[in-house]
Every structure is written in C-alpha cells, then in structure tokens.
Amino acid sequence: MSKRVSLKQFQQDLSDRLQIATSQSTANSRLAVRVGSQNWLVDLAEISEVITPPPFATVPLTQEWFLGVTNIRGKLFSVVDLPSFSKLGNAQRNLENRLLIVHPRFATNAALLIDQALGLRNIDKMQLETSGDHTSWCTSTHRDSDGHIWYNLNMTALVTNPEFLTVGI
C-alpha cells in the first residue's frame, strides 16, 4: 500500500529538492562574457542582472572608459566600458552589448558594458591554468575543452581598484 502524503507536505518536499538541485547545478556556474577579444567568467553572485544597455548621459571631463550614467529602474548607475578600462579597445557598440549590473553588496551602483554575453559555463569542466599573466581583478585563468582561455573576474578587486574609482580626468 502506498504511503499517503498531504499536498502541503508534497509541495514542501518538491520545493526542497528543487532548491538542492538548483544550488548544486549553479554553484560552479559562471556567466561567460566577451570583453574585447578575451573570454571572461563572472560569478553569478557578484552581479544582480544582465540587461540590454539603455541610453546613458555622458559626463564631461571623465576618463575615456567612463561612458556616463544611466537610469535603471529609478536608480542612477555609472556605466564603465569594461574592454576600454581593461585596455582591450572600446566595446563594439552593437545589439550584442550587455550591461552587467554589479551586485548591490558592493555599494558602487556600477554597470559594466561588455561586448557580448555567452551564456553559462561550468568551471569544474575547465582546467586551471598556472599562468600569472593577468590583471589585478583577475583571480585565475581556466582552459576549456576547446582550448580557449577564460579569465575569472574578481569583482571586489575591480570595484575597489583606485583607477576604477577615479573617473575624473
């Protein structure tokens, strides 16, 4: 004879199983993005969303990589051209551009313009590289099964970098 379970208990058990499955599958997932000619991985916990860039207002007497400010749901965000800031050339303005909204826990109200969002990648399926040739806001590099190099973005190091915080000329 089958065990009877209340609908409420069934829903709670299902919810618990979904949460466990989601946390296990996304724990090692990173958002893959194109920054200039490089592939980067961004921890999903370090951004609050990825959006199509809205119009932004330029700000005079600022660095070339500081594109201006934009209003996103009633809040002002500074817009940084991440390829330009990383000295990889300016982001090519096209329909593939995206803004990575830096998570509010960093208290920066910053949005990073990237060339393209490439989807999710599982970092466990990549090989850690030992090369130390990267910027201060890159925690490590990985190589995927196709041989492509991926740089891991360290959001804390980026948003606390003195150059990042000095937008004026």
Side-chain angles (χ1 to χ4, degrees), residues 76-95:
L76 285 180
F77 286 83
S78 55
V79 180
V80 173
D81 183 331
L82 191 56
S84 179
F85 181 77
S86 302
K87 297 175 181 40
L88 299 170
N90 295 335
Q92 300 301 314
R93 302 292 171 82
N94 58 44
L95 296 174

Side-chain angles (χ1 to χ4, degrees), residues 46-58:
E46 295 183 340
I47 56 174
S48 60
E49 60 186 308
V50 179
I51 63 171
T52 302
F56 49 86
T58 59

Side-chain angles (χ1 to χ4, degrees), residues 2-148:
S2 66
K3 180 182 172 187
R4 296 185 136 246
V5 178
S6 73
L7 180 58
K8 185 176 181 179
Q9 183 62 43
F10 174 77
Q11 290 173 330
Q12 182 62 45
D13 291 344
L14 181 61
S15 174
D16 292 343
R17 285 190 305 231
L18 283 172
Q19 285 178 343
I20 290 169
T22 302
S23 67
Q24 289 174 346
S25 65
T26 60
N28 297 316
S29 291
R30 302 287 186 271
L31 176 64
V33 299
R34 171 92 51 197
V35 177
S37 61
Q38 296 180 340
N39 297 319
W40 283 78
L41 298 169
V42 181
D43 189 335
L44 296 171
E46 295 183 340
I47 56 174
S48 60
E49 60 186 308
V50 179
I51 63 171
T52 302
F56 49 86
T58 59
V59 178
L61 302 174
T62 58
Q63 301 290 338
E64 177 185 346
W65 48 264
F66 186 79
L67 299 177
V69 294
T70 189
N71 182 337
I72 300 172
R73 285 182 268 306
K75 291 185 178 180
L76 285 180
F77 286 83
S78 55
V79 180
V80 173
D81 183 331
L82 191 56
S84 179
F85 181 77
S86 302
K87 297 175 181 40
L88 299 170
N90 295 335
Q92 300 301 314
R93 302 292 171 82
N94 58 44
L95 296 174
E96 294 180 335
N97 288 146
R98 294 293 178 263
L99 279 182
L100 304 181
I101 309 301
V102 177
H103 196 280
R105 72 182 158 104
F106 294 102
T108 62
N109 275 20
L112 307 174
L113 181 70
I114 57 163
D115 289 297
Q116 184 180 15
L118 303 171
L120 295 177
R121 300 290 190 275
N122 188 333
I123 203 165
D124 287 341
K125 295 183 180 180
M126 297 182 181
Q127 182 177 359
L128 184 64
E129 290 287 304
T130 56
S131 168
D133 184 27
H134 44 69
T135 65
S136 64
W137 56 88
C138 173
T139 57
S140 61
T141 57
H142 285 80
R143 184 177 301 273
D144 66 15
S145 60
D146 296 328
H148 298 112

